[in-house]
Amino acid sequence: MTAPRHFLDLDRLDGVTLRRILDRAVAMKRDRDAFRDLLRGRTLAMIFEKPSTRTRVSFEVGMRQLGGDPVVLKQDDMQIGRGETIADTARVLSRYVDAIMVRTGGEDRLHELAAHASVPVINGLTNESHPCQIMADVMTFEEHRGPIAGRVVAWSGDANNVAASWVHAAVRFGFELRVASPAHLSLPPALLARAAAEKGRVVCVEDPAEAVRGADCVVTDAWVSMNHMGVEKQARLDSLAPYQVNDHLMGLAKPDALFMHCLPAHRGEEVTDAVIDGPQSVVWDEAENRMHAQKAILAWCLEA
């Protein structure tokens, strides 16, 4: 039996494959009707161990636009929440559906699911990465500014799972990534070492102005989540305050620099209203392009 085509992380696929997926996404956005029967008769199971707005709606609507059927499974709906193993869940779902998308915590859960599934598994988010988001982000940048190769993308804030996927993208798509974060919230050394070994241009600094100066795109993400409470939450907010993307910081980038945020945004924390609602912001295009990028990912996984 042929091994399934999983979409687990950008660094697991070559740049040519990722480019073909993005080209398909652009075509799907341009002419939705041309692909409305592409996945007819196919079913996607979507496992949500973490809450979601964009991931759920974009995958569900995207699957329907391709003629397929989505099935939403929350942790409380499944026996996996009552002791069934991930491996057994993968084996059972593989008998029912054609692909599985999972939004989970530890990356080990994603990989265990993929190891035991006989159908494609798609990473809808883990604590370590968010590849579907970055495919949409690259698509959005290129819609507005042309090829991303050779450009400069600056990240300001907590170097989280989304930032990690930006590192993978910098290597695969050939742009420079500058990441500004406090030392205790910086990218894992192993991730940077792998990027350097593949000739990736990734620079880590603590000064956000140094990262943003002359950049073509400025990116940030929320600083706190439901896991951060009380004293820990306040400590994070205090240490990240200098990394807020505001008019001053955006003014250091190129005059036509784009602003991106994967959402949801905590307005007044990592970004000001003036920036996220301003003329350089493309966050709503990003959100829409999640759907188109994921449609192309689904088509690639199912070889359709």
Side-chain angles (χ1 to χ4, degrees):
M1 184 175 65
T2 305
R5 278 184 169 183
H6 299 311
F7 188 85
L8 303 180
D9 264 323
L10 301 185
D11 64 337
R12 288 173 170 251
L13 299 174
D14 59 61
V16 172
T17 298
L18 294 173
R19 175 54 61 188
R20 286 173 179 164
I21 293 172
L22 280 186
D23 289 346
R24 196 83 180 283
V26 171
M28 287 175 166
K29 183 175 183 178
R30 184 183 303 119
D31 187 358
R32 192 175 97 185
D33 288 344
F35 299 92
R36 63 185 176 185
D37 294 320
L38 189 68
L39 297 184
R40 186 164 300 281
R42 306 288 191 99
T43 302
L44 170 69
M46 302 189 297
I47 300 173
F48 289 96
E49 295 184 339
K50 286 192 169 190
S52 168
T53 299
R54 278 149 293 276
T55 298
R56 173 171 177 173
V57 176
S58 59
F59 264 110
E60 186 167 349
V61 174
M63 190 65 179
R64 293 190 189 282
Q65 286 187 3
L66 297 176
D69 296 300
V71 176
V72 177
L73 298 166
K74 296 182 180 179
Q75 188 164 353
D76 291 344
D77 299 331
M78 304 172 64
Q79 293 301 325
I80 199 171
R82 300 176 180 87
E84 184 171 35
T85 67
I86 296 172
D88 286 351
T89 299
R91 295 182 181 107
V92 170
L93 288 179
S94 295
R95 301 297 182 100
Y96 297 149
V97 304
D98 299 285
I100 303 167
M101 187 284 300
V102 61
R103 183 178 173 92
T104 187
E107 195 173 44
D108 56 326
R109 297 177 70 80
L110 167 74
H111 293 303
E112 185 176 357
L113 189 72
H116 295 280
S118 58
V119 299
V121 172
I122 299 170
N123 178 358
L125 174 139
T126 69
N127 292 341
E128 284 74 32
S129 63
H130 199 357
C132 290
Q133 178 65 55
I134 305 310
M135 290 292 280
D137 291 352
V138 173
M139 178 181 175
T140 304
F141 181 93
E142 296 192 335
E143 275 185 340
H144 288 267
R145 297 291 182 264
I148 198 169
R151 300 298 193 104
V152 175
V153 176
W155 176 279
S156 181
D158 179 15
N160 61 10
N161 54 345
V162 181
S165 285
W166 270 108
V167 172
H168 296 158
V171 175
R172 291 294 180 263
F173 290 103
F175 59 86
E176 179 182 344
L177 177 66
R178 303 176 191 161
V179 179
S181 62
H184 67 289
L185 296 174
S186 60
L187 290 166
L191 172 66
L192 296 172
R194 287 196 300 272
E198 294 189 63
K199 311 300 183 186
R201 291 177 293 161
V202 181
V203 178
C204 293
V205 298
E206 291 190 47
D207 181 4
E210 183 180 349
V212 168
R213 192 169 285 111
D216 297 283
C217 181
V218 180
V219 192
T220 192
D221 194 7
W223 294 341
V224 297
S225 70
M226 64 185 70
N227 298 322
H228 302 120
M229 303 292 289
V231 174
E232 181 189 6
K233 176 180 177 181
Q234 191 57 52
R236 287 179 67 87
L237 292 175
D238 291 344
S239 66
L240 286 162
Y243 296 85
Q244 182 187 73
V245 181
N246 49 37
D247 285 337
H248 171 72
L249 195 64
M250 284 299 299
L252 300 176
K254 288 183 179 177
D256 65 344
L258 301 177
F259 170 74
M260 291 190 180
H261 190 307
C262 68
L263 303 178
H266 294 188
R267 291 165 176 259
E269 291 182 7
E270 74 273 7
V271 63
T272 60
D273 286 343
V275 170
I276 198 170
D277 294 328
Q280 292 170 277
S281 174
V282 292
V283 298
W284 315 120
D285 292 337
E286 271 183 276
E288 177 186 349
N289 285 340
R290 280 288 300 278
M291 181 173 65
H292 303 299
Q294 289 161 186
K295 287 190 294 186
I297 291 166
L298 283 164
W300 177 81
C301 287
L302 293 170
E303 302 184 58

